Amino acid sequence: MALVIVSLMLAVLFFNRRHENPDVVTGAQGPYPAAFGSEAPVAPEHVMRRKSGFDVLVHGLSVSSTPDGIRVVNLRTGKEYWRYERQDTEPVLMSFDVSERTVVIAYWDSTLVGVDLRTGKQLWHEELGYPDGFRNVSLGAGQALTAAPGAVRAFDERDGHSLWTVRTPRSCAEVSVHAVYALPDHVSAVPLRCNRSSTATEKEEHYLLLGVDNRTGKALWQRRISDPGRAVLGDTHRLAAPPPDLDDSSAVQLLDLSREGAVPSAEIDTKAWNPVGAGDGTVLLATDAGGDGAADHDTVLHAYDIEDGRLTWRLKAPTAQEYGSGVIADGRVYLVRQPLLNRSNVGDRVREAELLVLDADTGRTLHTLRLPAMRVPYDDVHFMKLDVHQVTDGALSLSWRELSTDEQLVITD
């Protein structure tokens, strides 16, 4: 009898806790907003200032994380469109990714949750059963990829159905998924970080690019790479990155990705690998005026053809100005040109920064926009640069590098 009473008391306590702290699932607040356009902005002029954390733009919406979940804002109105948050014990969001239809969230307690972008309703919930800890989730080809012990797992982004599991090499016992590149011919190239906690696995920390048939999960090939954070995708199937074992060579490899492998096709002969944009067949590097990349300021742009590595154009900033990182989309480069800044400028409002739209093939200026004044944040590594982070659905977003401030601009035609 005592056992029954205790069980009933625990059940009541559990019910009350869930009743007092229900998950926040608001659902869509109003009609699904239209995208600002079907392509990148041609002449962006309309500036919307936003104060929030890391935002992902998609279809007229801004998607950002909270400690417990996701908040989505209608960019036209600035009002919350939907919110999804777990309220159980220590949910702690670790990462999320967004497609045109779905938001997938990874939590500290090894749980994945899929939410419909249009409605804000939960689509699926998967408890992976692994130890608690940091976990990435990356979307590509309609799939959500995450790490498992010694493996990569893929789930259908819409219903959470387990699609495939591919084992990583024994040398990559501890796995972290960095991203997923959806390539032609049903191939996903998955950059991995292996053995981050090397003291636990007693194996070398390194990076690996894994080619997978995304229909069956069959491992097609693998290749050692450098830090995938330094790699850029120049078009649908070509990756530019320094070789994994850095030596005295200054050449950067161009890898042709296909079902057959990641095959070096050409090299970029550069003294400094500092990519600030890539796409549409172009890789954009930035250096100081001396060209050796040793200074804190990026005053010269160098554009290279991703197919053969040749230099196609070069653009030097006016005196006392430099460039931030940008995005290449629909044949155009979007980036900011700003005054040179240092620690003495912390707290100042920058009033001379301009958004540039350049022709990706020639570097010719197509459009400029003087940005509203933005306050210089404190940054102890001197990354006081304004970067364009995303260009999609007729809008672009920019903020200070490393998102060290909550001051963000969204700009449309």
Side-chain angles (χ1 to χ4, degrees):
M1 176 64 72
L3 181 60
V4 173
I5 293 174
V6 170
S7 299
L8 287 172
M9 291 177 63
L10 290 174
V12 170
L13 287 173
F14 177 78
F15 175 81
N16 287 339
R17 183 170 68 86
R18 296 294 296 175
H19 181 72
E20 293 171 0
N21 299 291
D23 290 352
V24 177
V25 185
T26 66
Q29 307 297 299
Y32 190 52
F36 290 101
S38 58
E39 63 174 21
V42 175
E45 291 283 354
H46 180 219
V47 180
M48 294 176 280
R49 189 183 298 270
R50 289 285 176 267
K51 292 184 177 296
S52 58
F54 175 69
D55 288 13
V56 176
L57 305 186
V58 57
H59 207 276
L61 299 169
S62 172
V63 184
S64 60
S65 64
T66 71
D68 302 322
I70 293 294
R71 181 173 184 260
V72 179
V73 171
N74 185 325
L75 285 170
R76 286 182 173 84
T77 65
K79 296 181 179 180
E80 184 173 290
Y81 180 60
W82 59 258
R83 180 187 291 262
Y84 174 88
E85 292 182 329
R86 285 175 57 193
Q87 298 294 296
D88 50 354
T89 304
E90 298 180 355
V92 189
L93 179 144
M94 285 288 98
S95 69
F96 73 94
D97 203 0
V98 184
S99 72
E100 294 180 352
R101 300 191 299 163
T102 317
V103 182
V104 179
I105 312 166
Y107 284 99
W108 175 269
D109 64 355
S110 196
T111 299
L112 295 183
V113 176
V115 183
D116 185 78
L117 178 67
R118 181 183 291 267
T119 66
K121 299 294 181 62
Q122 179 179 315
L123 297 172
W124 55 275
H125 173 281
E126 178 73 23
E127 295 184 7
L128 301 175
Y130 312 142
D132 294 355
F134 181 79
R135 186 170 309 283
N136 276 351
V137 61
S138 297
L139 303 189
Q143 301 175 354
L145 272 62
T146 192
V152 175
R153 293 191 65 184
F155 299 86
D156 187 287
E157 71 166 57
R158 295 301 293 172
D159 61 20
H161 179 66
S162 180
L163 298 174
W164 47 262
T165 299
V166 59
R167 302 296 301 178
T168 54
R170 290 184 179 181
S171 60
C172 188
E174 182 191 349
V175 186
S176 176
V177 174
H178 177 81
V180 55
Y181 308 134
L183 308 176
D185 202 16
H186 305 289
V187 178
S188 288
V190 189
L192 307 174
R193 183 173 185 171
C194 300
N195 311 322
R196 182 176 184 180
S197 302
S198 56
T199 55
T201 62
E202 297 183 349
K203 294 184 181 295
E204 173 198 9
E205 180 178 351
H206 63 279
Y207 302 98
L208 191 69
L209 187 63
L210 194 65
V212 183
D213 185 314
N214 55 37
R215 296 166 299 181
T216 65
K218 178 184 178 181
L220 301 173
W221 46 262
Q222 64 187 51
R223 184 183 182 88
R224 283 274 189 124
I225 57 172
S226 59
D227 183 349
R230 304 184 67 201
V232 292
L233 201 62
D235 61 14
T236 58
H237 63 285
R238 290 188 180 92
L239 192 74
D245 300 316
L246 296 178
D247 52 25
D248 294 333
S249 171
S250 60
V252 170
Q253 291 181 332
L254 302 181
L255 301 177
D256 194 337
L257 310 181
S258 67
R259 293 188 69 84
E260 284 66 46
V263 181
S265 58
E267 292 183 341
I268 295 176
D269 187 13
T270 176
K271 294 181 180 179
W273 176 241
N274 182 24
V276 294
D280 289 2
T282 296
V283 174
L284 195 62
L285 308 183
T287 65
D288 66 338
D292 59 7
D296 290 330
H297 301 297
D298 295 328
T299 58
V300 185
L301 298 176
H302 308 262
Y304 295 88
D305 189 295
I306 191 64
E307 186 170 354
D308 56 18
R310 65 184 173 86
L311 180 69
T312 55
W313 53 268
R314 182 176 181 272
L315 186 64
K316 188 176 185 298
T319 302
Q321 294 186 354
E322 67 172 325
Y323 301 104
S325 293
V327 173
I328 301 176
D330 294 325
R332 298 182 286 273
V333 179
Y334 300 81
L335 81 172
V336 174
R337 186 174 60 203
Q338 67 176 63
L340 302 179
L341 301 173
N342 54 48
R343 286 188 181 181
S344 66
N345 298 111
V346 171
D348 293 349
R349 284 202 169 274
V350 177
R351 304 180 186 280
E352 299 83 18
E354 291 183 306
L355 173 68
L356 304 183
V357 182
L358 310 176
D359 184 280
D361 292 330
T362 64
R364 180 172 61 92
T365 301
L366 302 175
H367 179 75
T368 63
L369 172 68
R370 177 64 62 90
L371 297 176
M374 298 184 71
R375 192 175 300 279
V376 179
Y378 174 77
D379 194 315
D380 59 2
V381 291
H382 309 295
F383 287 155
M384 297 171 178
K385 297 180 178 67
L386 286 165
D387 292 342
V388 174
H389 297 290
Q390 194 177 3
V391 179
T392 185
D393 296 329
L396 64 88
S397 65
L398 65 88
S399 70
W400 295 102
R401 182 164 296 181
E402 304 297 330
L403 298 168
S404 56
T405 174
D406 61 2
E407 190 171 26
Q408 185 178 33
L409 302 181
V410 176
I411 308 175
T412 64
D413 281 335

